């Protein structure tokens, strides 16, 4: 009887420690950051950009407020717009992340822009980037540097991969 009690005690102690660890491996993420990537730039470049698909799994709108990375002294959120037949970039104060939907940061659209690079990442490298959301808070990802010819994933492709969220 004493032996049973001891085993039971061990089980409870293990359960206390193991359960939170397992929970952390399968979090129900409110905001999911899918495939963060960057396009290679010449080694002399002082700027680069990052793209990512942002899934908002909640029924509340969120906002991307800022981004940062140790590779750059300054980071801005940008959008592209056609103006007088020209493609221009301009800084935006925030990027809205609507409830239950997917927001694509991609070349020619919304993106994270890095200035005054302290390090120019090469193809195959990854670099850390932190994104700060109004509700979800600060999230960190590793951005993979892809060749200049790389084609961004389309919304449909990323929806296929994440179909279980929609059905
Ligand atoms: Cu830009």
């Amino acid at each position: 009887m004493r032996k049973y009690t001891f085993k039971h005690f061990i089980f409870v102690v293990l359960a206390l420690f193991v359960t939170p660890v397992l929970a952390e491996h399968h979090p129900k993420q409110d905001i999911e950051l899918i495939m963060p990537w960057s396009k290679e730039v010449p080694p002399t470049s002082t700027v680069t950009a990052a793209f990512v698909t942002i899934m908002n799994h909640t029924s509340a709108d969120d906002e991307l407020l800022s981004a940062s990375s140790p590779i750059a002294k300054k980071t801005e959120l940008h959008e592209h717009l056609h103006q007088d037949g020209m493609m221009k970039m301009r800084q935006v104060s925030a990027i809205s992340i609507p409830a239950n939907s997917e927001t694509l940061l991609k070349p020619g659209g919304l993106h994270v822009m890095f200035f005054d690079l302290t390090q120019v990442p090469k193809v195959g490298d990854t670099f850390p980037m932190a994104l700060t959301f109004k509700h979800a808070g600060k999230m960190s990802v590793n951005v993979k540097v892809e060749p200049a010819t790389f084609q961004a994933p389309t919304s449909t492709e990323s929806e296929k991969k994440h179909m279980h969220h929609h059905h």
Side-chain angles (χ1 to χ4, degrees):
M1 196 62 196
R2 190 174 285 169
K3 197 176 177 187
Y4 170 79
T5 308
F6 181 70
K7 268 187 186 166
H8 183 75
F9 171 76
I10 291 293
F11 175 77
V12 170
V13 169
L14 282 175
L16 284 172
F17 284 96
V18 170
T19 307
V21 173
L22 289 176
E24 266 178 56
H25 279 264
H26 301 281
K28 167 80 179 77
Q29 278 187 307
D30 290 346
I31 296 281
E32 189 181 0
L33 303 174
I34 303 158
M35 223 205 78
W37 68 285
S38 179
K39 204 171 258 195
E40 72 169 323
V41 291
T44 52
S45 181
T46 58
V47 298
T48 191
F51 317 100
V52 63
T53 297
I54 302 168
M55 287 286 309
N56 183 349
H57 295 296
T58 75
S59 53
D61 294 344
D62 206 336
E63 265 182 278
L64 175 57
L65 301 176
S66 65
S68 65
S69 172
I71 68 157
K73 287 182 191 152
K74 192 173 78 167
T75 306
E76 292 179 356
L77 303 175
H78 274 199
E79 68 174 352
H80 267 104
L81 59 156
H82 291 281
Q83 209 171 57
D84 311 319
M86 299 270 289
M87 197 68 156
K88 290 180 179 176
M89 290 196 298
R90 130 182 131 172
Q91 187 179 6
V92 291
S93 56
I95 293 172
S96 64
I97 310 295
N100 295 308
S101 59
E102 187 182 66
T103 303
L104 259 77
L105 274 59
K106 59 180 185 200
L110 296 162
H111 58 279
V112 176
M113 191 95 195
F114 302 107
F115 295 92
D116 302 328
L117 296 182
T118 54
Q119 172 203 337
V120 180
K122 297 187 288 289
V123 173
D125 285 356
T126 57
F127 62 86
M129 172 173 75
L131 298 178
T132 302
F133 295 88
K134 190 174 184 180
H135 300 299
K138 194 171 184 175
M139 298 181 72
S140 294
V141 287
N142 282 316
V143 178
K144 189 170 182 232
V145 183
E146 301 284 0
T149 52
F150 184 76
Q151 291 297 309
T154 66
S155 177
T156 316
E157 274 167 2
S158 86
E159 263 176 26
K160 261 185 230 156
K161 277 182 219 157
H162 295 270
M163 204 171 263
H164 57 282
H165 293 302
H166 299 278
H167 301 283

